[in-house]
Amino acid sequence: MDFTELAFRRVDDRWIKADDYVDWANELLECGCDAPSIWELAACRWDAYVDPDQVERLFISSVIELGFELPNDWYAALCAYSSSLCEKMLSGVTQPWDCLSEMLALAEDHNEPYIHWIWIDLSSDLEPIERRGQGYVRFNDALDLKNPDGCIRKVAQQFISLCAMPHPEKFPWVWICQECDAISDKSTFTEISVCTCQVCGAISGMRNLRYFEHREEFVKRCAMQ
């Protein structure tokens, strides 16, 4: 368990044991960390009784010493943890399909947060044609869907960028205008990916952010601002 998962579990009010913090500290030691607070926290594994209050104090000391930040916001913690899973996959620690499975599990466990619809849509697009339901809309045609591993990696790279920047509420279930940045939450479950902006009148100005290519445009525009 890495720091982002610990941080998310704390904010998510999930059951987390004192031993989880101790295991985290020992994993850091194995990776070469020599912070005194980490040594002290890791040493709790030898105690006959692991005192949760003491572990909490040592954990907070470790966070401060290492310069980490504990998110107070559930959504920020979710994005940080999800991004960490993507980074592990991109670095080769885990496999693409494992990453996709973890993202779908997070979505299912937490009532499908909007940001995770990026992964739900991708999973649907990677399904065999015969499994697709009536009225199916494909949002990732810009990717080579015949190369699932490559698709997952590209979506993971995009997802990390999106989590690191401000994005509209209900993202990606929104439309955004390329010209005036107007946002609309009209239905995005449609084969229509662009339309005229009702605010500034730009023809084809509104982009449906369920579509991979329009999220790519969004990332590039935000990076330039």
Side-chain angles (χ1 to χ4, degrees):
M1 186 183 303
D2 67 8
F3 178 75
T4 60
E5 183 176 359
L6 275 177
F8 176 61
R9 287 193 176 195
R10 288 169 66 92
V11 176
D12 193 46
D13 291 330
R14 288 195 162 202
W15 185 56
I16 186 168
K17 300 179 294 183
D19 287 341
D20 292 329
Y21 296 102
V22 177
D23 290 343
W24 168 73
N26 278 280
E27 288 174 10
L28 286 182
L29 290 182
E30 292 173 3
C31 292
C33 178
D34 61 355
S37 57
I38 292 297
W39 277 101
E40 193 173 358
L41 178 56
C44 291
R45 70 186 300 182
W46 306 112
D47 295 346
Y49 168 70
V50 179
D51 181 1
D53 292 334
Q54 180 186 12
V55 166
E56 175 69 11
R57 288 192 296 271
L58 292 173
F59 174 69
I60 296 301
S61 296
S62 299
V63 170
I64 294 172
E65 183 174 2
L66 295 175
F68 291 169
E69 290 188 18
L70 284 170
N72 295 316
D73 177 72
W74 181 87
Y75 187 72
L78 172 69
C79 286
Y81 176 41
S82 300
S83 293
S84 175
L85 293 175
C86 290
E87 289 166 356
K88 286 181 180 178
M89 182 271 293
L90 292 171
S91 65
V93 175
T94 60
Q95 296 301 309
W97 281 100
D98 293 331
C99 178
L100 177 59
S101 295
E102 288 178 302
M103 291 300 180
L104 295 177
L106 271 175
E108 183 176 354
D109 289 347
H110 296 88
N111 198 28
E112 299 177 348
Y114 285 106
I115 191 72
H116 276 75
W117 272 91
I118 291 172
W119 295 101
I120 296 171
D121 288 340
L122 177 63
S123 177
S124 297
D125 287 352
L126 293 176
E127 287 278 359
I129 295 176
E130 59 271 16
R131 294 186 188 176
R132 296 171 186 166
Q134 191 173 11
Y136 172 77
V137 177
R138 194 156 64 181
F139 295 106
N140 292 281
D141 264 343
L143 299 171
D144 180 7
L145 296 173
K146 294 181 180 179
N147 178 13
D149 285 6
C151 291
I152 295 170
R153 289 190 178 95
K154 286 185 177 180
V155 169
Q157 290 169 342
Q158 183 190 79
F159 186 86
I160 292 170
S161 297
L162 289 167
C163 286
M165 61 180 57
H167 46 262
E169 187 179 358
K170 297 185 179 181
F171 185 94
W173 280 27
V174 293
W175 298 70
I176 190 166
C177 180
Q178 291 279 85
E179 301 298 327
C180 70
D181 290 329
I183 296 171
S184 170
D185 62 357
K186 70 177 182 178
S187 176
T188 54
F189 191 76
T190 172
E191 293 181 351
I192 299 172
S193 67
V194 299
C195 67
T196 299
C197 177
Q198 299 300 310
V199 177
C200 71
I203 298 175
S204 299
M206 293 296 279
R207 299 291 202 268
N208 183 343
L209 295 183
R210 291 282 286 277
Y211 286 82
F212 176 86
E213 64 269 29
H214 296 326
R215 293 196 302 272
E216 282 290 275
E217 293 174 355
F218 177 79
V219 169
K220 291 176 181 177
R221 287 178 60 222
C222 289
M224 294 174 62
Q225 293 176 353

